[in-house]
Amino acid sequence: MSAASPTPPPGPGAVVAAPPVDRQEEVLTEEALAFLAELHRRFTPCRDELLVRRAERRADIARTGTLDFLPETAAVRADDSWRVAPAPEALQDRRVEITGPTDRRMTVNALNSGARVWLADFEDASAPTWHNVVGGQLNLIDAFERRIDFTDPRSGKGYALKPAGELATVVVRPRGWHLDERHLTVDGRPVPGALVDFGLYFFHNARRLLELGRGPYFYLPKTESHREARLWNDVFVFAQERLGIERGTIRATVLIETITAAYEMEEILYELREHASGLNAGRWDYLFSIVKNFRDGGERFVLPDRNAVTMTAPFMRAYTELLVRTCHKRGAHAIGGMAAFIPSRRDAEVNKTAFEKVRADKDREAADGFDGSWVAHPDLVPIALESFDAVLGERPHQKDRLREDVSVTAAELIAVDSLDASPTYEGLRNAVAVGIRYIEAWLRGLGAVAIFNLMEDAATAEISRSQIWQWINAGVVLDSGETVTAELVRRLAAEELDAARAESGVEAFAAGRWQDAHDLLLRVALDKEYVDFLTLPAYEELRD
């Protein structure tokens, strides 16, 4: 399947259908809108086909109750000769990466954090209001031009960028293929958000970054197959040729955060091999994908409380070890999961306990062969650095550890019932509480939200509402003896709404989106038909 239409019809640039936001003319230039229109006309038809293929594959999983490595790509896996392109200097050392949205404060803090890489997020950590979409692009441009700062409204303290040599390397995460950008249309159709985020960033910054000794680097989210990776590669080739950038300048790290992609890691690297930089192992979206794809697979696919499913669970261990083995076999970086703890300002004991857990987690990843890992807060950067420094020393990575001892079967990747844990009443309550609290913030335009001392993003809400749906439909009996039913979930949701009102006060509660969040969580958790992505109906309720 070709990813590009062979002769896309000529036409005008993308049309903006949104109230103007400050300085948008600097981003939405006539040339940039024409570039987006070219991307849309060439690649959206293939994107549409691939979304249909996702649905077809999900139907196959429902019918067979299993997954396997692809027989048609066995030759790619068996060929030991190919490698991904060598990493550019700016991406050689990735031992600690910080993640976060592209608002002005986070842009300065992340670049100054001491992490080697900043995942500048237009996806799960960013609610796609028009202000966030355009403002995020402006903040990145301003950062590269060194004209960005911010003042803390609480302390009045001002923050500016450190010297260039001390700043993190920016790796942008665009939205997934499934989300459209309703404020930009071409030929009457909305442009995929992935092409908007990629296209605007690449158009405005590719040359600027090269002059700074960096490059246009990306994280690719929600990938479900090597065909989707092929589409991205074709987008990269076209974009570089169109703007006169040397082919292979772009580098992409793919998040292996869907269960189907876990069976196609080598193929994904192969399709992107001239642009590939590595693979990342994330937890919440991966678990969400397992529930989504095997939601009617019976008791053996019922996940326990989300916090009970750590990276040491047997099926998660199989996934992460296979990822390290695959990456190093092909010369790519293996990047580990998220430390999401947000330090408490008032409870030193809570911080001490959490820091110990973060350290143990990062020690494990470094010992397993990962080349780097994620944190959500600057205070966690030194902890993760210590773990990886202890293993790496002066080396930039440990790709020489081929992990040839690892052998993972298809069945081990979906052996959910190998975990000795069960759903609990408190786990259900937490899923409802976190789901409502996160959705309420998202509907107000916040994508990264501190909830119960953890930095949560859209993946959190996805796994929370998916587990509620799964537990209801599987008739799960909790440790309390109660069966999970719609009525029980409604009761817990009402209690959470009351708790939010009591915590925030009547006026703040009324000014928020609490009732909307409550109603949306119940809709996606209780409806008979499972919605593929929570953010699709949520986007319809997002105000600009």
Side-chain angles (χ1 to χ4, degrees):
M1 177 177 61
S2 173
S5 301
T7 53
V15 176
V16 180
V21 297
D22 189 37
R23 296 175 59 198
Q24 75 173 36
E25 69 280 356
E26 298 175 41
V27 174
L28 303 173
T29 64
E30 184 177 345
E31 296 80 7
L33 293 174
F35 182 61
L36 291 184
E38 288 185 83
L39 292 175
H40 174 81
R41 293 188 178 105
R42 281 181 173 267
F43 299 109
T44 298
C46 181
R47 188 287 304 253
D48 295 343
E49 286 185 49
L50 290 170
L51 293 185
V52 172
R53 286 180 178 269
R54 285 184 179 183
E56 293 171 346
R57 193 171 196 186
R58 154 62 195 154
D60 287 341
I61 293 171
R63 178 176 52 83
T64 64
T66 193
L67 274 169
D68 204 346
F69 301 105
L70 301 180
E72 62 267 30
T73 55
V76 171
R77 298 192 300 274
D79 182 356
D80 290 335
S81 66
W82 63 269
R83 299 289 186 277
V84 303
E89 184 60 32
L91 288 178
Q92 283 285 347
D93 190 329
R94 304 177 61 174
R95 65 188 69 197
V96 179
E97 304 190 353
I98 192 167
T99 73
T102 53
D103 62 82
R104 212 159 182 84
R105 175 177 181 147
M106 184 66 196
T107 297
V108 175
N109 282 343
L111 289 171
N112 286 345
S113 66
R116 298 297 198 272
V117 166
W118 170 35
L119 187 158
D121 200 4
F122 286 94
E123 202 231 0
D124 273 1
S126 180
T129 64
W130 188 232
H131 177 271
N132 288 345
V133 170
V134 176
Q137 296 284 347
L138 281 166
N139 290 334
L140 292 170
I141 293 171
D142 284 350
F144 300 143
E145 293 293 326
R146 298 196 64 85
R147 59 188 184 212
I148 190 170
D149 54 29
F150 84 91
T151 300
D152 189 324
R154 292 171 298 190
S155 67
K157 182 179 179 181
Y159 294 84
L161 292 181
K162 294 179 178 179
E166 300 177 30
L167 300 181
T169 296
V170 174
V171 181
V172 164
R173 178 162 70 169
R175 281 167 282 182
W177 283 124
H178 61 286
L179 283 169
D180 287 334
E181 175 49 67
R182 67 186 178 210
H183 302 101
L184 287 170
T185 62
V186 173
D187 305 327
R189 283 199 60 191
V191 182
L195 296 180
V196 172
D197 300 336
F198 162 80
L200 291 175
Y201 180 73
F202 184 79
F203 183 87
H204 288 293
N205 297 296
R207 294 190 183 280
R208 180 181 281 117
L209 286 162
L210 291 172
E211 291 172 0
L212 294 172
R214 304 291 174 94
Y217 308 137
F218 297 92
Y219 259 108
L220 304 181
K222 306 289 192 292
T223 301
E224 296 197 14
S225 73
H226 70 284
R227 291 178 180 270
E228 295 180 17
R230 182 186 304 167
L231 172 57
W232 270 119
N233 196 72
D234 288 341
V235 170
F236 296 160
V237 170
F238 170 78
Q240 290 165 130
E241 291 177 351
R242 173 68 176 76
L243 297 188
I245 304 295
E246 183 179 355
R247 182 163 169 162
T249 297
I250 292 173
R251 286 292 189 275
T253 303
V254 180
L255 293 107
I256 303 300
E257 56 186 357
T258 68
I259 185 61
T260 52
Y263 288 85
E264 301 182 38
M265 292 191 221
E266 289 195 76
E267 294 91 329
I268 286 169
L269 287 176
Y270 181 81
E271 294 291 349
L272 283 159
R273 60 194 180 280
E274 63 180 325
H275 298 109
S277 177
L279 303 177
N280 167 269
R283 180 162 44 145
W284 297 140
D285 263 318
Y286 190 73
L287 294 177
F288 156 52
S289 177
I290 290 175
V291 174
K292 177 164 67 173
N293 281 285
F294 291 94
R295 60 184 181 267
D296 43 17
E299 183 179 354
R300 69 190 184 98
F301 288 107
V302 172
L303 286 171
D305 302 359
R306 71 178 179 110
N307 290 323
V309 189
T310 67
M311 287 299 201
T312 60
F315 70 100
M316 296 297 283
R317 190 111 176 105
Y319 149 61
T320 56
E321 296 226 297
L322 179 61
L323 186 143
V324 174
R325 169 81 176 96
T326 299
C327 285
H328 290 182
K329 177 182 177 182
R330 303 303 182 181
H333 281 81
I335 307 299
M338 172 73 79
F341 177 69
I342 302 300
S344 170
R345 296 179 176 219
R346 294 182 290 272
D347 196 327
E349 195 60 34
V350 166
N351 290 344
K352 179 182 177 182
T353 300
F355 288 162
E356 289 173 355
K357 290 181 179 179
V358 170
R359 189 181 307 279
D361 189 52
K362 300 312 172 188
D363 286 348
R364 174 190 56 77
E365 288 181 324
D368 282 349
F370 280 97
D371 303 293
S373 189
W374 284 3
V375 299
H377 192 278
D379 287 356
L380 303 183
V381 170
I383 298 173
L385 269 177
E386 286 182 16
S387 294
F388 279 89
D389 286 349
V391 172
L392 295 177
E394 297 300 316
R395 296 179 300 156
H397 52 72
Q398 51 182 332
K399 294 180 192 176
D400 57 324
R401 285 194 62 196
L402 298 181
R403 293 305 312 271
E404 292 177 333
D405 56 305
V406 172
S407 178
V408 174
T409 66
E412 287 174 321
L413 288 172
I414 51 174
V416 173
D417 56 355
S418 64
L419 180 60
D420 185 19
S422 302
T424 70
Y425 180 84
E426 283 308 312
L428 178 63
R429 178 183 288 280
N430 181 262
V432 172
V434 171
I436 290 177
R437 288 167 182 264
Y438 180 81
I439 293 170
E440 192 277 331
W442 196 92
L443 293 175
R444 288 188 287 108
L446 301 175
V449 187
I451 303 174
F452 307 143
N453 285 116
L454 293 175
M455 184 59 74
E456 309 286 20
D457 65 12
T460 300
E462 292 285 24
I463 184 61
S464 295
R465 65 96 180 188
S466 295
Q467 287 202 282
I468 297 169
W469 193 98
Q470 184 189 46
W471 291 0
I472 291 172
N473 285 271
V476 164
V477 178
L478 303 171
D479 59 338
S480 63
E482 294 178 89
T483 300
V484 182
T485 62
E487 290 71 26
L488 175 58
V489 172
R490 288 193 185 97
R491 189 186 83 208
L492 291 174
E495 292 173 1
E496 181 58 31
L497 212 56
D498 289 341
R501 185 183 293 106
E503 289 173 19
S504 58
V506 175
E507 289 187 13
F509 182 87
R513 300 290 303 275
W514 289 101
Q515 190 65 51
D516 294 332
H518 167 277
D519 295 348
L520 182 56
L521 177 70
L522 291 185
R523 175 164 39 125
V524 296
L526 304 185
D527 279 3
K528 183 177 181 181
E529 294 299 319
Y530 181 92
V531 178
D532 279 346
F533 292 97
L534 161 68
T535 46
L536 292 174
Y539 190 39
E540 298 302 314
E541 299 188 26
L542 189 63
R543 300 169 189 164
D544 296 325

